[in-house]
Amino acid sequence: MVQGNVIDSRPLRERQKAFRVVRAILLIVASFTVLSNITQAITIATGRTLAAFGGADGRLPLAHLPQLLKADLYDGASGTLADADLSLRLLCALPALIHAATIVLATVFLLRVLRGIAQARPFDPFVVTNWRRLSLALLIGGVSQALADTVASVYVASRIGLLFGAGLVSTEQQERFLGGDYQGININSPQWPVSIIIAGLVALALTAAFQAGAKLEKDVDGVV
């Protein structure tokens, strides 16, 4: 709205205020998600809770692994996740770390996009570039997490003789790998972050739309 020669900047101020609110919400949600992922990765890699109070045993059961549905010890047998092979724990913790990194990158790029939009520059090269980076971060991160979880599940199953190691893994090897004598192990199906991959595809489509808008804006400026 124009009053004399003065342009009313209220819409811009309102957009910037909305951006600050959205930014705060995004940062809170992303922080909790990343903290949860890092906590999960640490507890899997170490096989222990982050804190054990009152002299409690902080060791976690083997079933704490996301790649397992069940892990039942034989009666009288002992074993925890902390006793399992280090390679098992590190590989199974990797998907959580990839998810945390994906959320961090996606949040950074999304905030840059929103900042450009709040400044009434939706087709600025800065905004378009960050749309592209956002889509790549979500797609690459989502697929990488899915592949890492698939590899971890196959690795566990093979090392206990359920897949490629069928008939080749002795009871002693299995017990040494798992850190205990287990009578029942159920492998979980690989967890694919479908929501992140879909979000990446949506961001990719928006990248194309904003690129077209930027080209149109440039053409109009050239005509004027």
Side-chain angles (χ1 to χ4, degrees):
M1 180 177 179
V2 180
Q3 298 177 346
N5 293 325
V6 180
I7 298 177
D8 190 350
S9 61
R10 282 178 296 178
L12 178 59
R13 290 199 301 267
E14 290 173 358
R15 283 196 297 269
Q16 291 176 340
K17 182 178 179 181
F19 166 70
R20 288 193 291 268
V21 173
V22 172
R23 178 179 60 186
I25 294 173
L26 280 175
L27 289 174
I28 291 172
V29 173
S31 296
F32 277 107
T33 302
V34 171
L35 182 61
S36 176
N37 289 148
I38 293 177
T39 300
Q40 182 185 32
I42 291 174
T43 56
I44 291 174
T46 61
R48 299 175 182 273
T49 59
L50 292 182
F53 302 100
D57 187 355
R59 293 178 298 175
L60 294 166
L62 186 66
H64 181 70
L65 292 176
Q67 291 77 17
L68 298 182
L69 292 174
K70 183 180 72 170
D72 296 330
L73 288 161
Y74 279 102
D75 292 337
S78 62
T80 66
L81 179 56
D83 302 316
D85 191 82
L86 180 60
S87 64
L88 167 65
R89 289 182 273 132
L90 293 179
L91 192 57
C92 290
L94 183 58
L97 290 177
I98 294 176
H99 186 262
T102 301
I103 295 299
V104 169
L105 290 175
T107 301
V108 170
F109 297 140
L110 180 57
L111 287 176
R112 290 179 177 178
V113 167
L114 294 177
R115 184 176 66 191
I117 294 174
Q119 294 173 348
R121 297 187 291 113
F123 303 122
D124 189 88
F126 175 82
V127 174
V128 176
T129 297
N130 280 284
W131 268 123
R132 186 183 305 111
R133 291 173 178 173
L134 174 62
S135 63
L136 290 176
L138 291 170
L139 289 173
I140 295 175
V143 172
S144 297
Q145 181 185 344
L147 292 176
D149 197 70
T150 300
V151 169
S153 297
V154 172
Y155 179 70
V156 175
S158 299
R159 286 295 301 269
I160 62 177
L162 295 181
L163 279 179
F164 302 114
L168 303 176
V169 180
S170 66
T171 303
E172 292 75 15
Q173 289 175 320
Q174 177 179 319
E175 184 176 346
R176 187 165 54 251
F177 177 69
L178 297 176
D181 192 6
Y182 291 86
Q183 63 175 332
I185 297 286
N186 285 354
I187 305 295
N188 195 8
S189 58
Q191 302 301 297
W192 282 60
V194 177
S195 58
I196 288 182
I197 296 175
I198 291 177
L201 293 174
V202 172
L204 187 62
L206 288 173
T207 300
F210 274 73
Q211 284 176 332
K215 184 177 183 302
L216 179 61
E217 185 179 60
K218 183 178 180 181
D219 291 342
V220 170
D221 289 341
V223 171
V224 173

